Amino acid sequence: MKKIKKFLCFIMLLFINSCSTDDSASKDVEKPTISIAYSGGFPKGCDQLKRGETYVFRAMVTDNEALASYSLNLHHNFDHHTHDDQVGDCDLNESKSAVNPWIFMQNFSIEESSLEHEIEIELAIPDDIDTGDYHCAYSVTDASGWQGRTSIDIKIVQ
Amino acid sequence: MVRGVVVDSLTLNPLSGVTILGEKGYAISDRNGQFNLQIKKTQVFQVSHIGYARFKVRVPHTQSTTLFIKLKPSSTELDEVSVHGKTKERTVRETATVSVSIDEEFLHANRENSLIQTLSKIPGVGSMTIGSGQSKPTIRGLGFNRVSVIQNGIKHEAQQWGSDHGLEIDQYGLEDIRIIKGPASLMYGSDAIAGVVDILPQKVPGKNSFGGDVNLLGETNNDLWAVSAGLQSRKDKWYYRTRLTYRDYADFRVPTDKINYENYIFDLHENHLRNTAGREANFSVSIGRVGENFKFETVVSNVNAKNGFFANAHGLEVRSSNIDYDNSNRDVDLPYHKVNHFKVTHNATMYLGNHKLQLDLGYQNNHREEHSEPVPHGYMPKPPNSRERIFTKNTYTVNAKSLFKKNGGHTISVGLNSEFQNNNIGGWGYLIPAYDRFTIGGYFFDHFELNKNLHLQGGLRYDFGMLKINEHYDWFQTPRDNGDGSTFDIFLQRATNSTLDFGSYSGSLGLSYISGNTTYKFNVGKSFRMLLAHELASDGVNYHMYRYERGSLTLNPESSYQMDVDVSHSGNGYSFGVSPFINFFDNYIYLNPTSDYVETLQVYEYTQAKVFRTGGEVNAGVDVTANLHIYASAEYVFSRQNSGPKEGFTIPFSPPLIGMLSAQYLLGDFGMFKELNLKADLRAAAAQNEIVPPENMTDGYQVVNLALLGTLNLFDEQLPALLKVKLNNIFNTEYYDHTSFYRLIDVPEAGRNLSVSLTINF
């Protein structure tokens, strides 16, 4: 009986010991957020953009401590390789091969360590690119190296 | 009554478990070598023990003083037992290193889908799983290249650095595994900075023996069926063995029909984690010879596996596809990987008086292919085929060791390890360069027996390594700005031709003290790890992880200091142990997510930081009744970065606090089933809130497994068949393992699984 008592005491000790450490107070454990779900956010899911036109791409990014950089990536989805993370599905065109697809990739940094920032990128859509399904992907990082991402299904039309 | 004691004739150490058998009466020596015989008249007793020559002794019933029996180690078998003249258990107690020995019985009773999942039941050992069929080891929270896996004395060399790479070793036919927790660079070379999984050669079969086994396994969760069959035979001096293993499994099932990953929702077809099926076919043959004072064995083995990856998201990349994945849950579509690991090892041991010479030679060819649907990314156009990454690595190993027993209690080991690696790359995705790597290290180690119960161990090692990295250019062109608004296209250079060399000392000092049933161990040591090609020269897009990985030529070889304590006690019907450690890294190297972008992908850079770690394991077992045994253990690691960009954070893949409680009840015999044991396990993990970007916090969980083990007299009463029926995750609990590969896309662990295995011995 004595050895069982000893054993139980040991188990108790173990469990008491295991509930004692917590010091994650000061570290940044929050990812920055990115949203187009406000009146100025552009483009919205399933939007149709015209070749030759100029648009202002807008998204709101926030962080709990300090925003650092963001990027915008536009690439074709002619092969339906992926889909966006917005509410609702868009009708995709027939899949096709790319001839002269539009690729836009640019990185930007956010100067002052702000907590909120509106991305505003003015872009002219070239005249000679393939029309069809495209992806618009925003991403943002904070000073700690956390990243937030969002992607939007759009169409580029004549 | 006659009292007696049995000792080894060379070392004079007491021998436990020795059988003393006479016409009337018998005894077995206890752990102090002592035994009692109840005899009424003088008679002859036969004294026998594994690894020792049989001995006959005439015992007069009038004997009043203690009978002193010296057993002579048998020289023909040349087992480790006879060389040391000590039981394995005793040797482990005398060794200062904190280690755990695992035998065939443990492997059988705890066998999971992969070797490392089986071993993760040992406190302090963990597994990083990739789906249901693959995993890689971690020891006290460190994994990848920091854990050396040794098989037959040769370090297993593959693409260990990769997060979706699993260990290519057949988990059948293994008899004896030793796990060293803590830095073990001294004896095992530079990569063993966190510990070693040492798979020891199989025991030499007995003279004039022929035997084998067939193991059949079926599982419900991933509709697995597996068969493994082994044969071994020995006449006089020559012996051979062979083994064939085949496993085939379907997509595994999770206790959810929906995966919510960030804003994406993946509907699962009948709870199947789409495209995670796989198969594995392995063979090995070996031939060996045992002579008067030498033995050798050559083993040729091949492991071939093909495993699918989750179709909706490989890594972090969300994919749509025209492939009809749900048509069959057994086929393996894109993305998948296949790997072939061919290995030849040769182990030779020679005994010259007090000298033991050992030579281990190895050749390994690891060919791994990662295939995925060709999709354009960034400036890369659509690739021509699915061959994303191809790695072919050849590794040549030569290890030599001399063990010399000197008078005065010194056992001196002097050894040399050298290895040459040649790594080739192919495919359209670049992650690590092609390289050649040569390392050589020499060590000196002394095991000093101050007295029977106090042992000191210490050693010093120096390693030298040379790494030659080959240049690499993209196969497609990337536009670059001229600065005046115009652009030009170039083939970007990802790696430059460079040659680097490293050298470093490692050392350790330890002592073990045995006091009755208690063993105390204490160790301090310094270990180091040579830099790997990808840490130095990565420079490319990891498409599936949506990140740009960059190495740095300014990193230093990793060095680590550790202090270990281990106290274990085994009494009559109970046992407990505790093994805490403290560990400092001068420069722990990891892939750090920065705030920067390259071509709209977040840059992850290999970075070094000072790291402090502490933690340990505790365990206790008790025989509540003669039939009921309860065992409990817990493991915990605390890590903190004390410098660098992630100062204050933990290190990646930190395991949570884990507790295990298991009860085993001997039910007894039921008809044709003998020695039935019912075993229940509870595995409980605390929440892991200690994370570092880009990890997610993971909730705690409790999962319960049940197993029924027994034997069955099918053909031969002497060699009963072993039966195991196991029910894992009996409540079909949805839980997440913080260190699992699929954790980062919020995929829970496998659901309920019933498995039945039968091992027939002949």
Side-chain angles (χ1 to χ4, degrees), chain B residues 497-512:
Chain B
N497 279 326
S498 43
T499 304
L500 298 111
D501 48 54
F502 312 101
S504 181
Y505 285 99
S506 17
S508 81
L509 195 63
L511 69 86
S512 80

Side-chain angles (χ1 to χ4, degrees), chain A residues 42 49-57 121-126:
Chain A
F42 183 84
L49 280 61
K50 283 192 180 138
R51 287 201 301 202
E53 295 279 311
T54 297
Y55 296 91
V56 181
F57 286 68
I121 302 162
E122 193 176 288
L123 268 184
I125 299 179

Side-chain angles (χ1 to χ4, degrees), chain B residues 243-255:
Chain B
R243 176 165 295 277
L244 279 172
T245 300
Y246 189 81
R247 295 153 54 81
D248 192 304
Y249 50 93
D251 301 346
F252 73 101
R253 291 184 183 87
V254 289

